């Protein structure tokens, strides 16, 4: 580049809308992902509130069953592919280059594209709800033959949207792998990587491995529906259960894609506020890798009721139970990190502790679901809904909020309003349990999932669940207020916001620690 051209490029940097459209800066793209995921979180949450409004009382009140099914489907798709995954990609974009000492992501132009195709994917998906015949109404798992034989013509839009999301995910994952492998600062060996970087590296490999499987599944749905193939049509020699095998071979690693980066965030926050190094760093790395590898051999635990051979049931039962071992190692290490630490309870730490307790609870119900003979009772009931919302809402979503509260001062240079953030935490914590805990009970009592109406015996619990749901949904508006207020203005902080003497009780209550190889503090 000539000196003249370089001079021009610096003086004519695009501003306003163009800056965001053409940006290749990892921080800008990270911010775009996070803002997009927040918008999707609110839209998906609004759909959940439609579901809970309908289920507040037995009988059909607000929406017809067809629209109810569209809400459950699109709520799931938006929360998984539009809220949780882009939020983690946004955090990776922001933090991974900084953590490994890289100037930016390895493939910045691809980084820009992998973000900007997402709004189009979700516009297509959401627009289908307003078209003749309505949006997808076959559950976010789109089982055949519901998605092939019994679905409306807008299934094509759903398939196209999922393809675009998958392309975005694969490009983002390739970018993360190339960045971490090639752009670490000199001296940053593998076993010196921050755990957030490790969890994201492993997550990226999972994404590259399983997103093409999802692409295969939706392509076969597309050709079965529109081009006369019979992959999943038994009448034509196909197999509807094969769909489930293909889908869950993607779908089970996918749920670990949505929790491994969360483990990285929690492993970053807990040592900060316990003021100790993370307990068992190497075992954390190996546990993360073990979870990722095991996630590939457990897919059919979603399918115990499809009639597999006893040997298959036993294999999937034991391999699923095995995943609780590395997960237990992680929980043990987090608790051991806090043990005898100089703990303070800032907002990120509060979300992290809530994460550990509630994610572990969700893990226990997952262990119950892993046991084949009892899974016959739990399968397709609200017990399953309770289980996966504990691991995904109080797991993935709480960890994202913990990460945002932890890094927001670093990103903006401002501290957010602590009082509002605490209110957001406590309201979320209380309401999320009112929302999801009673689901275990109605599920064990036999209430099925994905139905717009139910027997009178479930009425009281469903009223409580719906109240919790509306309280949780409205609490998230506080989060939006906190983030916007912080981005616009707030008390200025330096880059050592959590480590420095900025309002941390331990710094105030005791003399600053010093080492013998430093100058002792001067006593005035």
């Amino acid at each position: 580049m000539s000196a003249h051209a370089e001079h021009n490029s610096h003086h004519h940097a695009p501003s306003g809308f163009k800056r965001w459209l053409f940006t290749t800066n990892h921080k800008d793209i990270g911010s775009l992902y996070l803002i997009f995921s927040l918008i999707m979180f609110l839209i998906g949450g609004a759909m959940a509130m439609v579901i809970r409004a309908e289920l507040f009382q037995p009988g059909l009140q607000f929406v017809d069953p067809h629209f109810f099914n569209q809400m459950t489907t699109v709520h799931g798709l938006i929360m998984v592919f539009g809220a949780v995954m882009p939020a983690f990609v946004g955090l990776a974009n922001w933090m991974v280059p900084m953590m490994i000492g890289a100037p930016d992501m390895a493939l910045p132009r691809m980084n820009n594209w992998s973000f900007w195709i997402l709004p189009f994917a979700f516009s297509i998906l959401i627009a289908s709800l307003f078209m003749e015949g309505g949006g997808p109404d076959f559950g976010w798992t789109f089982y055949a033959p519901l998605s092939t034989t019994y679905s409306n013509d807008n299934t094509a839009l759903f398939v196209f949207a999922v393809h675009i999301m998958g392309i975005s995910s694969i490009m983002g994952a390739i970018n993360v792998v190339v960045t971490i492998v090639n752009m670490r600062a000199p001296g940053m060996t593998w076993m010196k990587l921050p755990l957030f970087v490790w969890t994201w590296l492993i997550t990226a490999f999972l994404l590259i491995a399983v997103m093409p499987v999802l692409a295969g599944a939706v392509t076969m749905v597309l050709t079965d529906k529109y081009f006369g193939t019979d992959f999943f049509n038994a009448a034509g020699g196909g197999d509807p259960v094969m769909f489930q095998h293909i889908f869950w071979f993607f779908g089970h690693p996918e749920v670990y894609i949505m929790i491994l980066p969360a483990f990285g965030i929690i492993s970053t926050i807990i040592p900060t506020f316990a003021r100790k190094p993370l307990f068992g760093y190497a075992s954390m790395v190996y546990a993360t890798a073990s979870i990722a590898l095991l996630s590939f051999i457990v897919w059919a635990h979603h399918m115990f009721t499809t009639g597999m051979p006893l040997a298959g049931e036993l294999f999937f039962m034991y391999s699923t139970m095995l995943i609780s071992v590395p997960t237990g190692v992680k929980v043990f290490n987090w608790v051991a990190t806090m043990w005898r630490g100089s703990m303070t309870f800032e907002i990120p730490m509060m979300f992290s502790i809530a994460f550990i307790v509630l994610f572990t609870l969700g893990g226990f119900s997952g262990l119950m679901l892993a046991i084949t003979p009892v899974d016959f009772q739990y399968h397709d009931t609200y017990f399953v809904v309770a289980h996966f919302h504990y691991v995904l809402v109080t797991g993935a979503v709480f960890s994202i909020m913990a990460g945002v509260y932890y890094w927001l001062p670093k990103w903006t240079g401002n501290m957010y309003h602590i009082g509002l953030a605490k209110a957001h935490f406590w309201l979320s914590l209380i309401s999320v349990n009112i929302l999801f805990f009673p689901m275990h009970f109605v599920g064990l009592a036999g209430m099925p999932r994905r139905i717009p109406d139910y027997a009178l015996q479930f009425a009281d619990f469903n009223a409580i669940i719906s109240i919790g749901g509306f309280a949780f949904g409205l609490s998230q508006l506080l989060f939006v207020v906190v983030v916007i207020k912080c981005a616009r203005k707030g008390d200025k902080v330096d880059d050592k916001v959590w480590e420095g003497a900025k309002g941390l009780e331990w710094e105030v209550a005791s003399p600053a620690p010093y080492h013998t190889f430093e100058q002792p503090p001067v006593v005035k």
Side-chain angles (χ1 to χ4, degrees):
M1 189 191 275
S2 69
H4 179 69
E6 192 168 348
H7 172 83
N8 278 354
S9 73
H10 282 297
H11 280 267
H12 300 290
S15 57
F17 181 66
K18 271 190 155 176
R19 167 193 159 181
W20 294 100
L21 193 60
F22 298 125
T23 181
T24 52
N25 177 315
H26 72 100
K27 299 177 182 179
D28 281 358
I29 294 170
S31 300
L32 284 168
Y33 267 112
L34 288 163
I35 292 163
F36 173 78
S37 83
L38 181 61
I39 293 166
M40 286 296 120
F41 179 59
L42 296 172
I43 293 173
M47 292 178 178
M49 288 161 97
V50 171
I51 294 167
R52 285 320 319 173
E54 180 56 62
L55 293 173
F56 182 67
Q57 286 184 305
L60 298 174
Q61 282 90 219
F62 298 105
V63 295
D64 68 290
H66 177 57
F67 186 72
F68 181 89
N69 290 342
Q70 293 174 53
M71 286 291 98
T72 54
T73 302
V74 182
H75 161 73
L77 288 166
I78 284 181
M79 289 308 205
V80 170
F81 296 106
V84 172
M85 289 170 71
F88 282 136
V89 177
L91 292 171
N93 260 301
W94 251 104
M95 300 315 299
V96 166
M98 292 203 229
M99 286 179 163
I100 64 172
D104 203 301
M105 297 294 278
L107 306 159
R109 301 280 287 268
M110 190 168 87
N111 205 11
N112 173 292
W113 196 48
S114 69
F115 171 76
W116 276 112
I117 60 176
L118 274 185
F120 294 96
F122 285 93
S123 302
I124 291 166
L125 179 65
I126 293 166
S128 70
L129 292 169
F130 299 98
M131 295 178 193
E132 192 182 348
D137 57 355
F138 31 67
W140 84 273
T141 54
F142 53 99
Y143 277 12
L146 290 178
S147 55
T148 52
T149 311
Y150 302 109
S151 57
N152 61 45
D153 263 344
N154 294 335
T155 303
L157 294 170
F158 154 79
V159 171
F160 186 39
V162 170
H163 269 305
I164 300 173
M165 298 168 205
I167 292 166
S168 169
S169 291
I170 291 170
M171 289 196 299
I174 290 171
N175 212 343
V176 168
V177 172
V178 177
T179 304
I180 295 170
V181 172
N182 287 330
M183 297 179 70
R184 288 166 305 173
M188 179 164 277
T189 56
W190 287 111
M191 293 313 272
K192 288 196 176 113
L193 284 184
L195 258 179
F196 180 70
V197 179
W198 257 119
T199 54
W200 240 112
L201 179 67
I202 290 166
T203 301
F205 277 113
L206 283 180
L207 278 164
I208 294 164
V210 302
M211 292 314 282
V213 180
L214 176 67
V218 292
T219 305
M220 286 186 268
V221 164
L222 188 79
T223 59
D224 268 17
K225 177 120 187 99
Y226 299 101
F227 298 105
T229 57
D230 284 312
F231 290 112
F232 308 129
N233 179 12
D239 182 2
V241 176
M242 181 177 79
F243 172 87
Q244 296 187 32
H245 280 290
I246 298 167
F247 178 84
W248 285 117
F249 191 77
F250 147 78
H252 201 83
E254 165 63 28
V255 299
Y256 289 97
I257 287 163
M258 290 190 284
I259 204 67
L260 291 180
F263 292 165
I265 294 168
I266 301 303
S267 303
T268 308
I269 294 173
I270 296 280
T272 302
F273 298 110
R275 292 179 180 72
K276 297 167 55 182
L278 184 73
F279 182 91
Y281 170 89
S283 65
M284 283 300 225
V285 175
Y286 295 132
T288 310
S290 312
I291 291 169
L293 288 171
L294 287 169
S295 76
F296 283 105
I297 59 163
V298 298
W299 76 91
H301 67 207
H302 298 269
M303 303 167 51
F304 283 143
T305 57
T306 56
M308 64 180 82
L310 183 64
E313 287 180 342
L314 286 170
F315 172 82
F316 286 108
M317 177 169 85
Y318 288 132
S319 57
T320 303
M321 293 171 86
L322 203 57
I323 285 198
S324 62
V325 177
T327 314
V329 168
K330 286 188 161 300
V331 173
F332 177 86
N333 285 1
W334 290 323
V335 174
T337 305
M338 293 188 284
W339 179 252
R340 299 190 65 179
S342 305
M343 290 205 344
T344 52
F345 299 96
E346 282 80 10
I347 315 290
M349 186 64 159
M350 290 158 75
F351 270 103
S352 300
I353 293 170
F355 169 95
I356 293 172
V357 174
L358 298 171
F359 171 79
T360 304
L361 187 85
F364 279 130
S365 59
L367 202 51
M368 292 169 68
L369 288 159
I371 302 166
T372 312
V374 289
D375 180 75
F376 288 144
Q377 307 301 318
Y378 306 143
H379 185 81
D380 249 340
T381 71
Y382 259 82
F383 189 84
V384 179
V385 181
H387 155 69
F388 72 74
H389 282 90
Y390 264 93
V391 290
L392 286 178
V393 180
T394 62
V397 173
F398 269 29
S399 77
I400 290 163
M401 287 170 175
V404 168
Y405 279 125
Y406 185 64
W407 285 312
L408 198 60
K410 185 173 184 65
W411 298 337
T412 61
N414 303 329
M415 180 47 88
Y416 42 80
H417 190 292
I418 301 285
L420 286 177
K422 276 194 170 156
H424 170 238
F425 169 76
W426 285 112
L427 287 169
S428 297
L429 180 71
I430 293 163
S431 59
V432 83
N433 284 292
I434 296 172
L435 166 57
F436 295 124
F437 200 76
M439 286 186 184
H440 293 102
F441 305 141
V442 290
L444 292 175
M447 181 173 161
R449 294 167 67 172
R450 291 179 176 153
I451 44 149
D453 193 12
Y454 51 85
L456 202 55
Q457 72 187 70
F458 304 124
D460 293 352
F461 271 135
N462 268 292
I464 294 167
I465 292 168
S466 287
I467 290 165
F470 277 89
F472 183 71
L474 295 169
S475 304
Q476 302 324 305
L477 299 177
L478 257 180
F479 180 61
V480 179
V481 171
V482 171
V483 170
I484 291 172
K485 271 177 67 113
C486 179
R488 292 172 75 169
K489 61 183 189 301
D491 297 334
K492 292 280 172 248
V493 291
D494 62 11
D495 57 349
K496 291 228 183 315
V497 52
W498 300 119
E499 294 92 324
K502 291 263 184 293
L504 291 184
E505 295 88 327
W506 78 300
E507 289 278 5
V508 178
S510 62
Y514 65 91
H515 302 290
T516 47
F517 50 81
E518 290 174 3
Q519 285 294 314
V522 179
V523 182
K524 292 216 165 93

